[in-house]
Amino acid sequence: MLAKVISGATQGLESIPITVEVDINNKSLPSFTIVGLPSKSVEESKERVRAAIKNSGADFPPHRITVNLAPADIPKEGPAYDLPIALGILIASGQLTVEIKKHLFFGELSLDGTLRHTHGILPIALLTKERKYKGLFIPEINAKEAAIVDGVKIFPVTSLISLFHHFNGTQIIKNHPHISFSRLQEEVIVDFDLSDIKGQEQAKRALEISAAGGHNLHLKGVPGAGKTMLARALPGILPDLTETEALEVTKIYSITGNIPEGASIIKVRPFRAPHHTTSRIGLIGGSSHRTPGEISLAHRGVLFLDEFPEFPRHVLEALRQPIEDGIVTISRAAGTVTYPAKFVLVAASNPCPCGFWGDPVKRCRCMPGQIAQYKKRISGPIIDRIDLHIDLPPVKVDRLTSDLKCETSQRVKKRVQKARNMQTLRYKKIKLVCNSDLNSKNVKELIPLSSDSTKLLRQAVSTMHLSARTYYRSIKVARTIADLEGEENISLSNVAEALQYRPKEEL
């Protein structure tokens, strides 16, 4: 007898329907075969399914069982096909009679028949809505993650036996209610509040501009100047994720298994801080499974690279295209996938290997050649893609011991949120969310400049030797500064402030 059960496979961040065909031939010797380009984890599902069916009180057919995962030219990975395979065997063996053509099944089985937490639920839920299936049967522990998608009936399944009772009508599984995005509240946990950081007012201003417009930031200073503290304080002033942004982030975290069990959706902007020994694949993504890297996990959030020059040169150079385009394309023998990578890069570095070059008190012990070689670790094209460059001086002791109260992160965040709302409204027609998302064509069309501002920029290009990329990035920074001030047009002072954030080597 032949049975067909609909499941799904995730390629990149998108899911496609997979038909699980189960055929049982009672005229052949007992065997269990899975075809359709299954990976090792799919092959191992044979033993999980066998044990789950037996431990649920059902009979495992002692016949030839052939499972085909169609279409057969798409690689299948992961244990999520356990549930549809087990259900197909129960239907094909005549132990269960049910019509399930318009339903989708997805989940990993334990040996006792219960369903375990499974990766990639959100893309499957979106597929269910897109293809207009009647319902989605998934592990109960993943139900909240799928319930954020409106218009989809989510059936939380605890075990194989509970699914059996549901289709027999003895114990119906109630569908999970939809979870509204606006009702979800997650508190941002930050390491430092801006009020905890004494001094470094210019760096705090740059941090505010970076958060408001999504601009990349480079903090350079002697050890102990507060580079890491400032970077760790950034999450506390970032604007709230919109629903569209939250779904983008959650899809990435769903396929990588980074969503906490029982959670629904990621509402806090990511903050990723990989160590400088991270490999290129770890940062960019890849491997044989084409998994997302740190830059995709930081999508719509912050990627903090401490000890920036200590990262291998080839790793930093791999950041060029993602910083510019906001996406990363990974090509392997198994196929090509594209992941989003719109992040704010915050880089922190010392001025020299010992860290004290330019310090007014401590003496630098580095040779001139060592300092020059240290600076060469960061290439010009990478520097060119960073909008804000700040040199942090050592904090004086009188500032550290002062009782003067500094502005809190909550107060700064209100200004940042107001500026970001202006940008989202301004770019609504072209579906962009902040100034850093604009390309050169958008800048020309959407950011008008006065004659005085244009004249100042022309002078800057000539005297500071700015590239075309830096020219447009400076305009975008000036637009963000104007947004923070609530101004409709860019003033001359906005452009002047934007230009002062270029690295001093350009002067």
Side-chain angles (χ1 to χ4, degrees):
M1 185 176 175
L2 178 66
K4 294 183 179 182
V5 182
I6 304 298
S7 187
T10 301
Q11 292 188 316
L13 294 182
E14 305 301 324
S15 291
I16 58 173
I18 298 295
T19 302
V20 179
E21 301 175 332
V22 180
D23 177 72
I24 298 179
N25 188 347
N26 55 12
K27 295 182 180 180
S28 301
L29 293 175
S31 65
F32 194 172
T33 307
I34 299 178
V35 297
L37 287 184
S39 66
K40 182 65 176 176
S41 58
V42 178
E43 283 282 353
E44 290 176 349
S45 69
K46 292 187 289 188
E47 301 307 321
R48 291 192 297 270
V49 169
R50 189 194 308 271
I53 289 177
K54 288 183 177 180
N55 291 327
S56 297
D59 295 326
F60 189 83
H63 306 299
R64 180 182 177 88
I65 302 174
T66 304
V67 177
N68 178 40
L69 306 177
D73 60 337
I74 296 176
K76 317 301 187 307
E77 299 175 353
Y81 301 103
D82 290 1
L83 181 61
I85 289 174
L87 183 60
I89 290 175
L90 292 176
I91 295 173
S93 62
Q95 299 179 69
L96 183 62
T97 303
V98 63
E99 181 61 44
I100 55 172
K101 287 183 178 180
K102 291 294 183 179
H103 295 82
L104 197 146
F105 299 82
F106 195 81
E108 176 187 351
L109 286 171
S110 298
L111 297 184
D112 61 356
T114 58
L115 269 78
R116 299 171 56 86
H117 184 272
T118 308
H119 300 172
I121 291 294
L122 182 59
I124 293 296
L126 293 170
L127 171 68
T128 306
K129 179 179 181 179
E130 178 187 343
R131 297 299 180 98
K132 297 181 180 180
Y133 289 110
K134 291 182 179 179
L136 172 63
F137 290 81
I138 55 174
E140 183 182 35
I141 198 169
N142 291 108
K144 288 184 178 180
E145 180 184 337
I148 197 69
V149 181
D150 192 15
V152 177
K153 282 190 175 182
I154 306 298
F155 294 93
V157 183
T158 57
S159 63
L160 190 59
I161 189 64
S162 68
L163 186 63
F164 187 89
H165 290 318
H166 171 78
F167 286 127
N168 277 338
T170 56
Q171 190 174 353
I172 300 298
I173 299 174
K174 295 182 179 179
N175 60 294
H176 197 287
H178 169 63
I179 298 176
S180 174
F181 177 80
S182 59
R183 293 184 180 180
L184 292 173
Q185 292 184 350
E186 289 189 33
E187 186 177 350
V188 181
I189 301 175
V190 295
D191 296 327
F192 297 99
D193 192 279
L194 284 180
S195 60
D196 299 328
I197 304 174
K198 304 297 182 181
Q200 307 298 9
E201 301 305 326
Q202 186 186 28
K204 291 180 183 179
R205 171 65 172 173
L207 211 67
E208 182 178 347
I209 296 170
S210 174
H215 303 290
N216 299 324
L217 174 66
H218 183 200
L219 302 172
K220 186 170 68 173
V222 298
K227 301 184 295 294
T228 302
M229 287 181 67
L230 286 162
R232 295 286 180 182
L234 184 56
I237 64 173
L238 289 172
D240 296 329
L241 280 171
T242 64
E243 185 171 0
T244 302
E245 291 175 331
L247 285 173
E248 292 175 1
V249 175
T250 306
K251 282 202 290 184
I252 299 171
Y253 277 64
S254 178
I255 65 173
T256 56
N258 286 313
I259 296 181
E261 292 188 5
S264 176
I265 193 172
I266 304 294
K267 286 204 70 176
V268 176
R269 291 188 181 272
F271 183 89
R272 307 292 297 187
H275 193 260
H276 63 261
T277 57
T278 300
S279 66
R280 184 181 61 82
I281 289 178
L283 188 66
I284 304 300
S287 79
S288 59
H289 299 294
R290 300 169 295 168
T291 54
E294 288 289 339
I295 63 172
S296 294
L297 292 171
H299 179 60
R300 295 301 181 188
V302 177
L303 178 68
F304 175 46
L305 300 184
D306 201 3
E307 305 297 340
F308 196 44
E310 299 298 335
F311 282 81
R313 178 69 176 260
H314 70 282
V315 173
L316 293 182
E317 293 306 305
L319 286 172
R320 288 193 195 182
Q321 182 263 336
I323 290 176
E324 197 71 20
D325 300 336
I327 59 173
V328 58
T329 301
I330 300 171
S331 297
R332 295 292 183 271
T336 300
V337 296
T338 299
Y339 294 112
K342 288 184 180 293
F343 56 87
V344 175
L345 172 64
V346 178
S349 64
N350 296 322
C352 67
C354 77
F356 296 106
W357 185 70
D359 191 295
V361 179
K362 295 185 179 181
R363 180 184 175 186
C364 173
R365 299 183 181 276
C366 302
M367 299 296 290
Q370 289 178 303
I371 298 175
Q373 191 65 31
Y374 185 76
K375 290 183 177 181
K376 286 182 180 179
R377 293 182 182 180
I378 307 174
S379 68
I382 292 295
I383 292 293
D384 211 35
R385 287 166 167 80
I386 299 178
D387 306 324
L388 308 168
H389 297 261
I390 301 296
D391 290 324
L392 276 67
V395 182
K396 296 181 180 180
V397 66
D398 58 339
R399 296 302 301 270
L400 292 175
T401 57
S402 172
D403 293 331
L404 183 66
K405 292 185 179 180
C406 300
E407 196 172 29
T408 64
S409 292
Q410 191 62 33
R411 187 172 179 180
V412 174
K413 182 177 179 178
K414 290 181 179 179
R415 293 199 300 267
V416 169
Q417 186 68 61
K418 184 178 179 180
R420 183 63 68 90
N421 291 342
M422 291 173 62
Q423 296 166 40
T424 303
L425 182 62
R426 183 188 303 130
Y427 309 132
K428 185 178 181 180
K429 291 184 179 179
I430 56 176
K431 298 181 179 179
L432 298 179
V433 297
C434 61
N435 292 324
S436 64
D437 291 341
L438 300 175
N439 56 34
S440 57
K441 181 181 178 181
N442 298 142
V443 171
K444 292 178 182 178
E445 295 176 349
L446 300 174
I447 305 183
L449 293 173
S450 65
S451 58
D452 290 340
S453 297
T454 303
K455 183 178 179 180
L456 178 60
L457 280 169
R458 284 179 178 174
Q459 292 175 348
V461 170
S462 176
T463 59
M464 299 171 65
H465 309 292
L466 302 182
S467 66
R469 179 186 293 112
T470 306
Y471 171 81
Y472 288 112
R473 285 184 175 271
S474 297
I475 295 175
K476 289 188 283 187
V477 172
R479 178 66 267 177
T480 300
I481 295 171
D483 290 337
L484 284 169
E485 295 175 356
E487 299 294 335
E488 184 176 349
N489 298 315
I490 297 175
S491 66
L492 187 63
S493 62
N494 298 148
V495 176
E497 183 179 355
L499 290 172
Q500 78 172 7
Y501 295 120
R502 296 310 306 165
K504 299 299 182 286
E505 286 79 359
E506 293 181 351
L507 298 175

